[in-house]
Amino acid sequence: MSVLIEQFKQSFKYTGRLSVSDFRRWSAWLLLIFILTYIAHLYAVHVLDNYGGSSINAVTGVFVFYATLLLVYVFLMFAITSALIRRHHDMGRNGWFSVLWFVPYIGVGYWIYLLCAKGTQGPNAYGPPA
């Protein structure tokens, strides 16, 4: 839990390094967040399908849900980008390699690579080990 809190505190920090073990924990938390939001999305679709035509409250509730979800996803994109950049710094690479994560199909394989690759031992150009 402390890794999650620490990552959220550093969501807009794009310097320094992020160790592979912290990146794995952060990735697990992100996966959990995305699964939970997807389940909530399925419930919102169910509400719209069953009550959307008969209740303005249902439509309003779903609209508020999606507006909130959009804000959460925007924040998570900054957090993900920060973690990716710092993970690349840990491997001694420029943070621009993070763009590969956003390429469809390639991104998933690249994410798995980042979960397995070891960082550089000792200090590098981006700072001391995390």
Side-chain angles (χ1 to χ4, degrees):
M1 188 68 159
S2 64
V3 172
L4 182 66
I5 293 170
E6 189 63 32
Q7 280 302 111
F8 279 125
K9 287 180 184 176
Q10 297 181 7
S11 292
F12 298 100
K13 178 184 171 194
Y14 298 96
T15 59
R17 296 168 63 173
L18 181 65
S19 69
V20 68
S21 60
D22 287 345
F23 186 72
R24 287 175 185 156
R25 282 188 228 116
W26 176 237
S27 297
W29 278 109
L30 282 178
L31 185 62
L32 179 66
I33 290 169
F34 281 118
I35 289 171
L36 292 176
T37 56
Y38 183 72
I39 291 169
H41 159 72
L42 292 178
Y43 179 72
V45 169
H46 168 74
V47 167
L48 272 182
D49 284 345
N50 293 328
Y51 307 107
S54 61
S55 172
I56 190 68
N57 291 335
V59 174
T60 304
V62 170
F63 175 77
V64 169
F65 166 74
Y66 280 117
T68 305
L69 191 62
L70 177 65
L71 292 175
V72 168
Y73 279 162
V74 167
F75 175 76
L76 284 176
M77 288 309 294
F78 282 109
I80 290 167
T81 304
S82 170
L84 287 169
I85 289 172
R86 289 184 289 122
R87 179 71 189 110
H88 281 96
H89 287 174
D90 188 52
M91 295 187 301
R93 293 191 184 139
N94 191 316
W96 281 103
F97 279 97
S98 301
V99 174
L100 291 173
W101 185 75
F102 296 100
V103 177
Y105 303 110
I106 294 173
V108 174
Y110 197 64
W111 186 272
I112 293 168
Y113 167 73
L114 290 175
L115 289 170
C116 299
K118 300 287 183 195
T120 57
Q121 299 293 341
N124 65 13
Y126 300 101

